[in-house]
Amino acid sequence: MSLLPSLHTVKGICILDNDGKRVIAKYYDQTDESFATVKDQKLFESKVFKATEKSASEIVAINNYTVVFRSNVDLFFYVFGDSRENELILLSVLNTLFESISMILRKNVEKRALYDHMDSILLICDELVDQGIMLECDPNNIVSRVHVKTEDIPLSEQTVTQVSYDILKSFNWLTQS
């Protein structure tokens, strides 16, 4: 491990159910022996789940990794990085992940809905982090790239930006006809 700054801040993202079973997991550091095999990954995930299932804090340190997490209904969301990684960056990735998923699932963030929209959830992970580098921290941009149309989102749940974009688009359509 080098002490030089790096853009590769995220070691992995995983979502576990309330039993600690893997729903989604993406690991970005191929050189780390801790995540070399699926068995090693699941062992790490079980350690993380045991350490966090009753924890009141959002940040824990496990096996030289900084883990930030958030729980909701029957899911646990985890983002982890090196032990020297900035917790605020990891927390930003976690919050963007959760907010993007929440927008896709229309605030119904639970295991069954996550399984129903697995393709969009995996695309969100890909748009958020690539090879451990955080690419985007705005959930609205991520959701727009994942091709969710704002017409599918109820007006009460849309952001001001989304509503103003729809109004502008409608205005342009009226002026062209």
Side-chain angles (χ1 to χ4, degrees):
M1 288 188 200
S2 82
L3 296 175
L4 298 175
S6 172
L7 290 174
H8 300 274
T9 57
V10 179
K11 297 281 187 183
I13 294 173
C14 66
I15 301 173
L16 306 178
D17 65 10
N18 56 353
D19 296 324
K21 303 288 186 231
R22 176 189 288 192
V23 177
I24 293 175
K26 296 193 71 88
Y27 291 86
Y28 301 105
D29 190 356
Q30 305 302 327
T31 62
D32 196 333
E33 294 90 29
S34 300
F35 313 127
T37 65
V38 173
K39 183 179 176 184
D40 295 334
Q41 293 171 1
K42 288 190 175 187
L43 180 66
F44 178 75
E45 291 165 11
S46 68
K47 286 180 186 177
V48 167
F49 182 74
K50 286 178 185 171
T52 60
E53 70 178 322
K54 306 276 189 224
S55 178
S57 68
E58 299 178 318
I59 302 170
V60 293
I62 301 171
N63 294 0
N64 293 326
Y65 298 101
T66 300
V67 179
V68 294
F69 71 98
R70 180 175 185 168
S71 63
N72 188 55
V73 185
D74 57 353
L75 295 171
F76 287 82
F77 296 81
Y78 297 97
V79 174
F80 45 93
D82 192 65
S83 61
R84 293 181 306 273
E85 198 54 63
N86 186 336
E87 296 89 359
L88 294 176
I89 292 175
L90 296 175
L91 198 55
S92 175
V93 171
L94 177 67
N95 288 334
T96 303
L97 174 69
F98 184 82
E99 291 300 320
S100 299
I101 290 173
S102 180
M103 289 170 72
I104 292 286
L105 300 180
R106 298 188 179 114
K107 309 270 187 232
N108 183 29
V109 182
E110 57 185 29
K111 187 164 82 170
R112 181 160 179 84
L114 195 86
Y115 281 132
D116 290 342
H117 294 84
M118 186 67 78
D119 56 341
S120 297
I121 307 305
L122 290 170
L123 285 172
I124 286 171
C125 292
D126 291 342
E127 288 292 329
L128 179 60
V129 177
D130 185 29
Q131 297 180 6
I133 301 171
M134 182 174 68
L135 299 176
E136 181 66 62
C137 62
D138 183 8
N140 292 321
N141 289 344
I142 291 173
V143 169
S144 70
R145 286 192 199 121
V146 175
H147 302 294
V148 171
K149 296 180 177 25
T150 55
E151 294 87 30
D152 296 340
I153 301 173
L155 185 62
S156 62
E157 293 181 13
Q158 291 184 22
T159 64
V160 173
T161 306
Q162 290 170 327
V163 172
S164 61
Y165 177 75
D166 287 345
I167 291 169
L168 183 62
K169 197 165 65 172
S170 298
F171 181 71
N172 286 338
W173 180 78
L174 286 173
T175 57
Q176 291 176 357
S177 33

